[in-house]
Amino acid sequence: MAYHNQPEIAKLGAAHLFTPDLEKSLWFFHDVIGLEIVARTETKVYLRAAMEREHHSLVLEAGERSRLDHVSWRVRRPEDLDKFYTQLTENGTEVAVQAPDAEDGYGESLRLQMPSGHKLRLYWDVEKPAVAEADRSVLLNQRYKSWNRGIGVRRIDHVNLWSTHEPEPVHQWLTDNLGFKLREYVQTPHGRIGGWMSVTPLVHDIAVMKAGPHETTPARMHHLAFWLDNAADVLRAADILVEAGIKPDQGPGKHGVSQAFFLYVRDPGSGHRVEIFSNGYLIFDPDWEPVEWGVDDIATALAMWGPTDYIPHTDDHVMNTTTEA
Amino acid sequence: MAYHNQPEIAKLGAAHLFTPDLEKSLWFFHDVIGLEIVARTETKVYLRAAMEREHHSLVLEAGERSRLDHVSWRVRRPEDLDKFYTQLTENGTEVAVQAPDAEDGYGESLRLQMPSGHKLRLYWDVEKPAVAEADRSVLLNQRYKSWNRGIGVRRIDHVNLWSTHEPEPVHQWLTDNLGFKLREYVQTPHGRIGGWMSVTPLVHDIAVMKAGPHETTPARMHHLAFWLDNAADVLRAADILVEAGIKPDQGPGKHGVSQAFFLYVRDPGSGHRVEIFSNGYLIFDPDWEPVEWGVDDIATALAMWGPTDYIPHTDDHVMNTTTEA
Amino acid sequence: MAYHNQPEIAKLGAAHLFTPDLEKSLWFFHDVIGLEIVARTETKVYLRAAMEREHHSLVLEAGERSRLDHVSWRVRRPEDLDKFYTQLTENGTEVAVQAPDAEDGYGESLRLQMPSGHKLRLYWDVEKPAVAEADRSVLLNQRYKSWNRGIGVRRIDHVNLWSTHEPEPVHQWLTDNLGFKLREYVQTPHGRIGGWMSVTPLVHDIAVMKAGPHETTPARMHHLAFWLDNAADVLRAADILVEAGIKPDQGPGKHGVSQAFFLYVRDPGSGHRVEIFSNGYLIFDPDWEPVEWGVDDIATALAMWGPTDYIPHTDDHVMNTTTEA
Amino acid sequence: MAYHNQPEIAKLGAAHLFTPDLEKSLWFFHDVIGLEIVARTETKVYLRAAMEREHHSLVLEAGERSRLDHVSWRVRRPEDLDKFYTQLTENGTEVAVQAPDAEDGYGESLRLQMPSGHKLRLYWDVEKPAVAEADRSVLLNQRYKSWNRGIGVRRIDHVNLWSTHEPEPVHQWLTDNLGFKLREYVQTPHGRIGGWMSVTPLVHDIAVMKAGPHETTPARMHHLAFWLDNAADVLRAADILVEAGIKPDQGPGKHGVSQAFFLYVRDPGSGHRVEIFSNGYLIFDPDWEPVEWGVDDIATALAMWGPTDYIPHTDDHVMNTTTEA
């Protein structure tokens, strides 16, 4: 059997976002969301959360338009980068090799594009910067102090992408080429409107959903999610956002899909949507069968309780979250 | 100075609700909300919450139409009942004396009507039934075991009434006749749309809000509220409701007014709206000045965060919550 | 009946603490506990919590030894100050009148001493300083932004005093002279070891407990308590304390008495013990009968669950929390 | 490279416990902990939690003495059972093949013993019984209704074993033979006193700790852990336990190791210790380096905050949790 030698993705690494107002976005992600700054240049800031060891989980870059540049994924073993190169190329995906970048802490990496137009990057080597003693947690298994600032998210969790293409073939491509397993999906008579996929026991490291009918930009990001340990922490986040002058976009509420307790909010500098979330569940079963939510269950799938207005084809939800095709 | 001899109300005692489906309402309030049954007759059930010592805080009575019959209030001292009789009568309010009722555990009580048409009852004597040992909490300051069943609310908190009359004179009547202090109110150029009032340090034991323009029934109940100790408990309540087949009406969210973390749900037997709530704040200042929320602050007043669709003049919120004038 | 004209106490106002290390104590109460600084002189700092309107709820004063100077209480009506003067003096308590103090925001106040040796102050007039716009909450019913810094306690809650005298006569004195109602107490064959008393619906605004047998200082403070809205917030407080290098003294746990979910911690500058607490319950019944916890229930009274090692006669708990007689 | 073809363990499946009082243990695990009964015989009961799809995660079997019989683990792929047989046998571990068992829902399985004397079982085939409609969650990704009964744990989490042998070689054996990765460990000058290991992103699926010096039974279980989604849920569990007449053993508190928010309690029927826990963190890094807690950090490792009395060599903690060698 071949699959034993297939390369694997270990985890979501980082999202790279462009923002037309870098200072305001930095204020939002650093002061309000509570990410820590690892490095910055004139046009870019690298940030990570309290629990994270790698160089960064978020890059903010100044740019004319707000867009998701790419999503980075760490492979499971050093040799998986080469294997992915071979496998992807043989399967017809164009792959560019990017030389190590002293600035972002990555070694050699691969660049490729999903059939939906979203851009991905794969890497193995990555710096794991230490933390100055003043900021260091008393917990040896944690980088920065808990509750250091603002909401104090614990780690990046997942990305949720929007596509004008039918999502089902995109899901299949993610399975065939990168090994993502479909965990849950919503099916209507008109097709699959979204799928939640992972390589980890999280219900999703990535989701790909169908964009609304009036959408012209083929590849967007719906949201980037950060994790908190308790639902109560998400409620505290809502207070902090409003006190900072930022009205949450939607929530709090509970998705049936993935059982996420969620709160959505837009970065006021860029319009990128961030999900502050907790709860959910983990999948340890190696033979998990994808959960299908049909038309009768779609209301529960999208909102077991809480707001019911974020059905994903409402066009005005997508402005300012464009990814270039 | 006269006020030292004025009678005072000590606390909200109970709400008496009519329901066209007593069995379903009983299932809702007992099995799902988690109230305990103290007594029942063929047409009535008396219930109370785990922390409550008095005979009941809720009466469910079988009736053709769903309506709030009356709200009961305990006076502060035995002699206050007589004093209220004199004071109210002198001020032009008709008061009926009701003889002690073996069934409901009350001694002699007074019956009267607010200018909005809502009916009130005042009492001093009340039975405080003991609890069977099997149900008794290990805590000597608590009646029933914690988390005994369903949501497990801790105590009644307040009633929120709707009126087609202008609320401001109703608020004034409550202050002049019953000593309720105005704690917060929402003011628009078209008048006051709601006021939150209390005799206790709670921000409100009672609220009176303006009903929508198409409302024909002059006196309704907006909701009856029960307390939980933590916001996290309200989130658990949302799960329990949905698992019981009952979609919450609105929420969870946080009102600016009173800082309540709330979840609204309808009793499926009667349509009466119940608020499951926690957090909020207490007022100990004897010279508290009412907080005015004006047009610029109304969005925050009604929803600091969470759902924004419960603005109180939406007519379809009021069906099935009628109180007879 | 006389009591209608008796003066009443409305609420706990503030605690005035001496500390041998003002800077460290200020760091603890401001940076870690999250109180806001209202005013400071060379030797004193006035602080209050986010929900508080009065000038301060805590005074820290530099002094050689750590001790509780006095506890301030607001009376219910302007004329109650005079009435208390008369009533206390007639009952044999020495009362000193203190002129208005521009520094601490109080008008004229009364100074007196409890039979246990603890010093009290009564006041009516008090400044209610506004908050600079940058710090102001979006909530019109709240002074400072929520979650502004550190633990972010919401308000002062109560003081717990220790005495080498028998507590029962002290409780009686508090009832007879200041109107405190006994809410709960712990009784052993050797006497009452503690009583929890209030003028508000809180189970206690003040508690007086028996000091250990080896105690030589007659009047100490066991702890000063601050409120948080949720038990989950107390757990977050524990994280913050440890990250700040301060090991909590005891807890988290739940007292049966008052149902408090608690965490004790010492101010590293002074040794004064602070209780971070939430939950509990409110007493609205005007005819509440004090709850007696006897020898069979004492374990539950002191710790329904959580640490069992804070039984109040352990002598090493009291060091550094002395009040001068 | 060989490791691609090595068999792998996917997840912890179940613990099989003997109890001298099956009815009381069943009451504890079903009524109080909230597990669901899947099947029972005269001497055995099979239970699982709301989120679990496999036949059971706990077997209670009537027996003279309280002991852990064995722990079951699911392998990652069907062929891994054969591969494990070969690999273990070649490495000198005796492995018995157990025929499929209609009663417990397992297909063919392997039986083996750890060098510490603890017994393990490996399986691939397992029944995944459906749930009767009345008990079924509205969530399609969940088996039973949320908050169905008692504490309502969500899933089994890990087992913590005690050994009189040095733990370090046991940890090494688990790595070499079964692929468990060491995630965290506590090291003293006298040796390693415990190691936390996993095949999943959980910090531990299994821990092996050093038993106290007076321990004569070589292989015991320290505790069996069940997961709740929020720290607040663990506090509710403490209330429920005390109301059921069961004093928690230790906690609540937070371990530095694994960042677990924990509460320990003994099954009153058997003395087996159960951990109710939440929070913690997940490890997605494929090159995670084990976190070493040394003598200076041991207090934080075992109790970041909360009780400090559960240092693992206290002999009286281990009674009634014996596993036969």
Side-chain angles (χ1 to χ4, degrees):
Chain A
M1 235 181 113
Y3 71 87
H4 263 196
N5 292 308
Q6 281 180 351
E8 289 178 84
I9 286 179
K11 53 165 284 197
L12 170 60
H16 186 127
L17 305 179
F18 275 83
T19 169
D21 188 338
L22 182 59
E23 283 316 305
K24 188 174 270 185
S25 290
L26 182 55
W27 167 79
F28 175 71
F29 283 104
H30 177 263
D31 291 27
V32 182
I33 297 294
L35 296 178
E36 307 287 346
I37 298 172
V38 179
R40 61 185 304 177
T41 68
E42 210 165 309
T43 57
K44 280 184 248 172
V45 189
Y46 296 89
L47 304 111
R48 63 177 173 174
M51 287 304 294
E52 293 172 339
R53 301 181 166 230
E54 298 190 7
H55 184 272
H56 62 271
S57 59
L58 178 67
V59 186
L60 295 175
E61 180 164 357
E64 250 176 72
R65 284 185 313 113
S66 198
R67 63 185 180 82
L68 168 65
D69 188 71
H70 69 273
V71 183
S72 295
W73 302 86
R74 191 151 192 233
V75 298
R76 194 170 171 198
R77 309 169 196 92
E79 66 270 27
D80 284 351
L81 218 53
D82 276 355
K83 287 187 178 176
F84 267 124
Y85 183 90
T86 306
Q87 175 177 294
L88 286 159
T89 308
E90 283 175 358
N91 289 352
T93 299
E94 207 170 325
V95 181
V97 179
Q98 181 172 344
D101 182 347
E103 184 187 300
D104 69 8
Y106 281 12
E108 191 179 77
S109 61
L110 304 183
R111 295 276 199 165
L112 61 144
Q113 191 169 301
M114 289 167 54
S116 57
H118 297 91
K119 290 170 186 160
L120 306 179
R121 188 175 172 196
L122 307 183
Y123 66 97
W124 165 258
D125 278 320
V126 58
E127 279 176 38
K128 299 182 177 174
V131 173
E133 197 174 339
D135 296 327
R136 208 180 294 158
S137 175
V138 300
L139 293 168
L140 303 186
N141 47 25
Q142 182 169 323
R143 276 296 193 259
Y144 301 87
K145 285 184 195 307
S146 292
W147 310 112
N148 214 16
R149 191 182 337 95
I151 292 169
V153 295
R154 301 266 290 164
R155 58 171 171 76
I156 196 172
D157 192 87
H158 65 264
V159 286
N160 187 315
L161 306 176
W162 258 9
S163 170
T164 53
H165 298 257
E166 280 307 309
E168 191 163 349
V170 180
H171 300 153
Q172 195 58 50
W173 184 90
L174 284 166
T175 298
D176 294 345
N177 289 276
L178 299 174
F180 284 96
K181 283 164 269 187
L182 186 65
R183 304 306 202 166
E184 303 196 29
Y185 62 100
V186 178
Q187 197 74 25
T188 74
H190 311 296
R192 192 186 285 179
I193 66 167
W196 287 257
M197 309 184 76
S198 66
V199 289
T200 69
L202 299 179
V203 174
H204 59 320
D205 305 312
I206 190 170
V208 181
M209 304 198 302
K210 184 81 165 77
H214 307 300
E215 185 58 64
T216 51
T217 311
R220 290 173 181 275
M221 179 175 82
H222 184 270
H223 66 258
L224 174 65
F226 291 94
W227 170 261
L228 284 171
D229 286 343
N230 297 282
D233 304 333
V234 176
L235 300 182
R236 177 178 166 270
D239 283 344
I240 290 173
L241 289 167
V242 176
E243 292 284 23
I246 306 165
K247 203 86 177 176
D249 215 35
Q250 285 157 319
K254 186 169 185 169
H255 296 309
V257 169
S258 88
Q259 303 190 11
F261 180 65
F262 67 90
L263 182 75
Y264 291 119
V265 62
R266 301 293 186 104
D267 162 22
S270 68
H272 288 299
R273 191 188 284 109
V274 167
E275 185 182 25
I276 309 293
F277 103 108
S278 188
N279 295 174
Y281 70 98
L282 297 174
I283 298 172
F284 297 116
D285 297 358
D287 53 352
W288 179 264
E289 288 180 29
V291 174
E292 178 182 315
W293 301 80
V295 277
D296 292 344
D297 304 306
I298 198 164
T300 303
L302 298 178
M304 181 188 180
W305 42 260
T308 54
D309 58 339
Y310 58 91
I311 311 293
H313 10 273
T314 309
D315 201 51
D316 59 5
H317 288 173
V318 305
M319 57 177 185
N320 288 332
T321 54
T322 312
T323 298
E324 289 294 284
Chain B
M1 235 180 111
Y3 71 88
H4 263 196
N5 292 308
Q6 281 180 353
E8 290 177 85
I9 287 179
K11 52 166 285 198
L12 170 60
H16 186 128
L17 304 179
F18 275 83
T19 168
D21 189 339
L22 182 59
E23 283 316 305
K24 189 173 270 184
S25 290
L26 182 55
W27 166 79
F28 175 71
F29 282 104
H30 176 263
D31 291 27
V32 182
I33 298 294
L35 296 179
E36 307 287 346
I37 297 172
V38 180
R40 61 184 303 176
T41 68
E42 211 166 308
T43 56
K44 281 184 246 171
V45 189
Y46 296 88
L47 303 111
R48 61 177 174 175
M51 287 303 294
E52 292 172 340
R53 302 182 166 230
E54 299 190 7
H55 184 271
H56 62 271
S57 60
L58 178 67
V59 186
L60 294 176
E61 179 165 356
E64 247 175 72
R65 284 186 312 113
S66 198
R67 62 185 182 82
L68 168 65
D69 188 71
H70 69 273
V71 182
S72 297
W73 302 86
R74 191 152 191 231
V75 297
R76 195 170 170 198
R77 310 169 196 90
E79 65 270 27
D80 284 352
L81 217 53
D82 276 354
K83 287 189 179 175
F84 267 124
Y85 183 89
T86 306
Q87 174 177 295
L88 286 158
T89 308
E90 282 175 359
N91 290 352
T93 299
E94 206 171 325
V95 181
V97 178
Q98 181 172 344
D101 182 347
E103 186 187 302
D104 70 7
Y106 282 11
E108 193 179 74
S109 60
L110 304 182
R111 295 275 199 165
L112 61 143
Q113 191 170 302
M114 291 167 53
S116 56
H118 297 90
K119 292 171 186 157
L120 306 181
R121 188 174 172 196
L122 307 184
Y123 67 98
W124 166 258
D125 278 319
V126 59
E127 279 176 38
K128 298 182 178 174
V131 173
E133 196 174 338
D135 295 327
R136 206 178 296 157
S137 176
V138 300
L139 293 167
L140 303 186
N141 48 23
Q142 182 169 322
R143 276 296 192 260
Y144 301 87
K145 285 184 194 309
S146 292
W147 309 113
N148 214 15
R149 191 182 338 93
I151 291 168
V153 294
R154 301 266 290 165
R155 58 170 173 76
I156 195 172
D157 193 86
H158 65 264
V159 285
N160 188 314
L161 306 177
W162 258 9
S163 170
T164 53
H165 297 257
E166 280 307 308
E168 191 163 348
V170 181
H171 301 153
Q172 194 58 49
W173 184 91
L174 285 166
T175 297
D176 294 345
N177 289 276
L178 299 173
F180 284 97
K181 284 164 267 186
L182 186 65
R183 304 307 202 168
E184 303 196 29
Y185 61 101
V186 177
Q187 196 74 26
T188 74
H190 311 297
R192 193 186 285 180
I193 66 167
W196 288 257
M197 310 185 75
S198 66
V199 289
T200 69
L202 298 179
V203 174
H204 58 321
D205 305 313
I206 190 169
V208 182
M209 304 199 299
K210 184 83 166 77
H214 306 300
E215 186 58 62
T216 51
T217 310
R220 291 173 180 275
M221 179 176 82
H222 184 270
H223 66 259
L224 174 65
F226 292 95
W227 171 262
L228 286 171
D229 286 342
N230 296 283
D233 304 333
V234 177
L235 301 182
R236 177 178 166 271
D239 283 345
I240 289 172
L241 289 167
V242 176
E243 291 283 24
I246 305 165
K247 203 86 178 177
D249 216 36
Q250 285 157 318
K254 186 170 187 168
H255 296 309
V257 170
S258 88
Q259 303 189 12
F261 180 65
F262 68 91
L263 182 76
Y264 290 120
V265 61
R266 301 293 186 104
D267 161 23
S270 67
H272 287 300
R273 191 188 283 109
V274 168
E275 185 182 26
I276 309 292
F277 103 107
S278 188
N279 295 173
Y281 69 99
L282 298 174
I283 297 173
F284 298 115
D285 296 359
D287 54 351
W288 179 264
E289 289 179 28
V291 174
E292 177 182 316
W293 301 81
V295 278
D296 292 345
D297 304 305
I298 197 165
T300 303
L302 299 178
M304 182 189 179
W305 41 261
T308 54
D309 57 342
Y310 59 90
I311 311 293
H313 7 276
T314 309
D315 200 53
D316 59 5
H317 289 173
V318 304
M319 55 176 187
N320 289 330
T321 54
T322 311
T323 297
E324 288 293 285
Chain C
M1 234 180 113
Y3 70 88
H4 263 195
N5 292 308
Q6 282 180 350
E8 291 177 84
I9 287 179
K11 53 165 284 196
L12 170 61
H16 186 128
L17 304 179
F18 275 83
T19 168
D21 188 340
L22 183 60
E23 283 314 305
K24 189 174 270 185
S25 290
L26 182 55
W27 167 78
F28 175 72
F29 282 104
H30 177 263
D31 290 27
V32 182
I33 298 294
L35 296 179
E36 307 287 346
I37 297 172
V38 179
R40 61 184 304 176
T41 68
E42 211 166 308
T43 57
K44 280 185 247 171
V45 189
Y46 297 88
L47 304 110
R48 61 177 173 174
M51 287 303 295
E52 293 172 339
R53 302 182 167 229
E54 297 190 7
H55 184 271
H56 62 272
S57 59
L58 179 67
V59 186
L60 294 175
E61 180 164 356
E64 248 176 73
R65 284 187 311 114
S66 199
R67 61 184 183 83
L68 169 65
D69 188 72
H70 69 274
V71 183
S72 296
W73 302 86
R74 190 152 192 232
V75 298
R76 194 169 170 198
R77 310 170 196 92
E79 66 270 27
D80 284 351
L81 218 51
D82 276 354
K83 288 189 180 177
F84 267 124
Y85 183 90
T86 307
Q87 173 177 294
L88 286 159
T89 307
E90 283 175 0
N91 290 352
T93 299
E94 206 170 325
V95 181
V97 179
Q98 181 172 343
D101 182 347
E103 185 187 303
D104 69 8
Y106 282 11
E108 193 180 74
S109 60
L110 305 182
R111 294 275 199 166
L112 60 144
Q113 191 170 301
M114 291 168 54
S116 56
H118 297 90
K119 291 171 186 159
L120 307 180
R121 189 174 172 198
L122 308 183
Y123 67 96
W124 166 257
D125 277 320
V126 58
E127 279 177 38
K128 299 183 178 175
V131 173
E133 195 174 340
D135 296 326
R136 204 179 298 157
S137 176
V138 300
L139 293 167
L140 302 186
N141 47 25
Q142 182 169 321
R143 276 296 192 259
Y144 300 86
K145 284 185 195 308
S146 292
W147 310 112
N148 214 17
R149 190 180 341 91
I151 292 169
V153 294
R154 299 266 290 164
R155 57 170 172 77
I156 196 173
D157 192 86
H158 65 264
V159 285
N160 188 315
L161 306 177
W162 258 9
S163 170
T164 53
H165 299 258
E166 280 307 308
E168 192 163 348
V170 181
H171 301 154
Q172 194 58 49
W173 184 91
L174 285 167
T175 297
D176 294 344
N177 288 277
L178 299 174
F180 283 96
K181 283 164 269 187
L182 186 65
R183 304 307 201 167
E184 304 196 27
Y185 61 101
V186 178
Q187 196 73 25
T188 74
H190 311 296
R192 192 186 285 179
I193 65 168
W196 287 258
M197 310 184 76
S198 65
V199 290
T200 69
L202 298 179
V203 174
H204 59 320
D205 305 313
I206 190 170
V208 182
M209 304 199 301
K210 183 83 166 78
H214 306 302
E215 186 58 61
T216 52
T217 310
R220 290 173 182 275
M221 179 176 81
H222 184 270
H223 66 259
L224 174 64
F226 291 96
W227 171 261
L228 285 171
D229 286 343
N230 296 283
D233 303 334
V234 176
L235 301 181
R236 177 178 166 271
D239 283 345
I240 289 173
L241 289 167
V242 176
E243 292 284 24
I246 306 166
K247 203 86 177 179
D249 216 35
Q250 285 157 320
K254 187 170 186 167
H255 296 309
V257 170
S258 88
Q259 303 189 12
F261 181 65
F262 67 91
L263 182 76
Y264 291 119
V265 61
R266 301 290 186 105
D267 161 22
S270 68
H272 287 301
R273 192 188 282 108
V274 168
E275 185 182 25
I276 308 292
F277 104 107
S278 188
N279 296 174
Y281 70 98
L282 298 175
I283 297 173
F284 297 115
D285 297 359
D287 54 352
W288 179 263
E289 289 178 28
V291 174
E292 176 183 315
W293 301 81
V295 277
D296 292 346
D297 303 306
I298 197 165
T300 303
L302 298 177
M304 181 188 179
W305 42 260
T308 55
D309 57 342
Y310 59 89
I311 311 294
H313 5 275
T314 308
D315 201 52
D316 58 6
H317 288 172
V318 305
M319 54 175 189
N320 289 331
T321 54
T322 312
T323 297
E324 288 295 285
Chain D
M1 236 181 110
Y3 71 89
H4 264 196
N5 291 308
Q6 281 180 350
E8 290 177 84
I9 287 179
K11 52 166 285 196
L12 171 61
H16 186 128
L17 303 180
F18 275 83
T19 169
D21 189 339
L22 182 60
E23 283 316 305
K24 188 174 270 187
S25 290
L26 182 55
W27 167 78
F28 175 72
F29 282 104
H30 176 262
D31 290 27
V32 183
I33 298 294
L35 295 179
E36 307 286 347
I37 298 173
V38 179
R40 61 184 303 176
T41 68
E42 211 167 308
T43 56
K44 281 184 244 170
V45 189
Y46 297 90
L47 304 111
R48 62 177 173 174
M51 287 304 294
E52 294 172 339
R53 303 182 166 229
E54 298 191 6
H55 184 271
H56 62 272
S57 60
L58 177 68
V59 186
L60 295 176
E61 180 164 356
E64 249 175 72
R65 285 186 310 114
S66 199
R67 63 185 181 81
L68 168 66
D69 188 73
H70 69 274
V71 182
S72 295
W73 302 86
R74 191 154 191 231
V75 298
R76 194 168 171 199
R77 309 167 197 94
E79 66 270 26
D80 284 351
L81 216 53
D82 277 353
K83 287 188 179 178
F84 266 125
Y85 183 89
T86 306
Q87 175 178 294
L88 285 159
T89 308
E90 282 175 0
N91 290 352
T93 299
E94 208 170 323
V95 181
V97 179
Q98 181 172 343
D101 182 347
E103 185 187 303
D104 70 7
Y106 282 12
E108 193 179 75
S109 60
L110 304 182
R111 295 276 200 165
L112 60 144
Q113 191 170 302
M114 290 168 53
S116 56
H118 297 89
K119 290 169 187 161
L120 307 180
R121 188 174 171 197
L122 307 183
Y123 66 97
W124 165 258
D125 278 320
V126 58
E127 280 177 37
K128 299 182 179 174
V131 174
E133 196 174 339
D135 296 327
R136 206 179 295 156
S137 175
V138 300
L139 293 167
L140 303 186
N141 46 26
Q142 182 170 320
R143 276 296 193 257
Y144 301 86
K145 283 185 195 307
S146 291
W147 310 112
N148 214 17
R149 191 181 338 93
I151 292 169
V153 294
R154 300 267 289 164
R155 58 169 172 76
I156 196 173
D157 192 86
H158 65 265
V159 286
N160 187 314
L161 306 176
W162 258 10
S163 171
T164 53
H165 298 257
E166 280 307 309
E168 191 163 349
V170 181
H171 301 153
Q172 194 59 49
W173 184 91
L174 285 166
T175 298
D176 294 345
N177 288 276
L178 298 174
F180 283 96
K181 283 164 268 187
L182 186 66
R183 303 308 201 167
E184 303 197 28
Y185 61 100
V186 177
Q187 196 74 25
T188 74
H190 312 295
R192 192 186 285 181
I193 65 167
W196 288 258
M197 309 184 77
S198 66
V199 290
T200 69
L202 299 179
V203 174
H204 59 321
D205 305 312
I206 191 169
V208 182
M209 304 199 299
K210 184 82 166 77
H214 307 300
E215 186 57 63
T216 51
T217 310
R220 289 173 181 273
M221 179 176 81
H222 183 271
H223 66 260
L224 174 64
F226 291 95
W227 171 261
L228 285 171
D229 286 343
N230 296 282
D233 304 333
V234 177
L235 300 181
R236 177 179 166 270
D239 283 345
I240 289 173
L241 289 167
V242 177
E243 291 283 24
I246 307 165
K247 203 86 178 178
D249 215 36
Q250 285 157 318
K254 187 169 185 168
H255 297 309
V257 169
S258 88
Q259 302 189 13
F261 180 65
F262 68 90
L263 182 76
Y264 291 118
V265 60
R266 300 292 186 106
D267 161 23
S270 68
H272 287 300
R273 191 187 284 108
V274 167
E275 185 182 25
I276 308 292
F277 104 107
S278 187
N279 295 174
Y281 69 98
L282 298 174
I283 298 173
F284 298 115
D285 297 359
D287 53 352
W288 179 264
E289 288 179 28
V291 174
E292 177 183 316
W293 301 80
V295 278
D296 292 344
D297 303 308
I298 197 165
T300 304
L302 298 177
M304 181 188 179
W305 42 261
T308 54
D309 58 339
Y310 58 89
I311 312 293
H313 9 273
T314 308
D315 201 52
D316 59 5
H317 287 173
V318 305
M319 58 177 187
N320 289 330
T321 54
T322 312
T323 297
E324 289 293 285

